[in-house]
Amino acid sequence: MHAALWLVVALLGVAGCLLVLGHELVALVLVLVYVGAIVVLVLFALMLTRAPIGPDLAHAVPWWRRVLAGLAGAATTGLLLAALLPLAGEAVERREVANAAVATELFGTWVWPFEALSVLLLAALVAALAVSRGAGVDTSRGGGGAA
């Protein structure tokens, strides 16, 4: 569940990068399609699996690995800030982006793969629902239902 929610944060970060680059349409499509649909589908599938909720003590990470991960994250943040802060004061040359050309490519050339992906995700959703409902077989006793 946490990984799916962090995926939302990562995708919003990518959308922010696309906004900075001047591709507003692609950023909007990314937020609408991926954050608005794909992540909701992943969360719905996670809720259907009836996975145990709570901390998983079998895969707990030792404290020193958490500290190392925090230090690695802080070092990466420092490196990015050291590289990007000197650029913050400079004037940025903004070129005109042809949103119509991007929209034509996205909804012209790539519309069929996009639709195929939506059908595949719909099939996965229906399969997850069918698996979660079961076939009426009682598996709690270890048998096939016939006593």
Side-chain angles (χ1 to χ4, degrees):
M1 187 68 85
H2 288 110
L5 295 176
W6 280 110
L7 178 64
V8 171
V9 173
L11 289 173
L12 289 175
V14 172
C17 291
L18 288 169
L19 281 175
V20 169
L21 291 173
H23 294 284
E24 293 87 7
L25 177 71
V26 179
L28 178 67
V29 167
L30 184 128
V31 168
L32 287 177
V33 171
Y34 286 103
V35 175
I38 304 296
V39 173
V40 170
L41 180 68
V42 168
L43 290 174
F44 182 70
L46 283 173
M47 289 187 286
L48 281 178
T49 60
R50 298 183 187 149
I53 297 175
D56 185 12
L57 299 178
H59 298 100
V61 179
W63 66 270
W64 58 271
R65 289 183 71 184
R66 292 181 187 185
V67 171
L68 284 176
L71 289 174
T76 304
T77 302
L79 182 66
L80 283 171
L81 288 176
L84 295 177
L85 282 180
L87 301 175
E90 297 178 12
V92 177
E93 178 184 331
R94 184 170 174 107
R95 63 184 178 101
E96 188 62 33
V97 178
N99 282 338
V102 174
T104 303
E105 281 294 317
L106 187 63
F107 298 113
T109 306
W110 296 103
V111 71
W112 292 114
F114 181 75
E115 290 300 324
L117 178 66
S118 66
V119 169
L120 178 68
L121 289 172
L122 179 64
L125 180 64
V126 170
L129 187 62
V131 167
S132 71
R133 299 262 181 209
V137 176
D138 185 17
T139 58
S140 63
R141 292 186 227 164

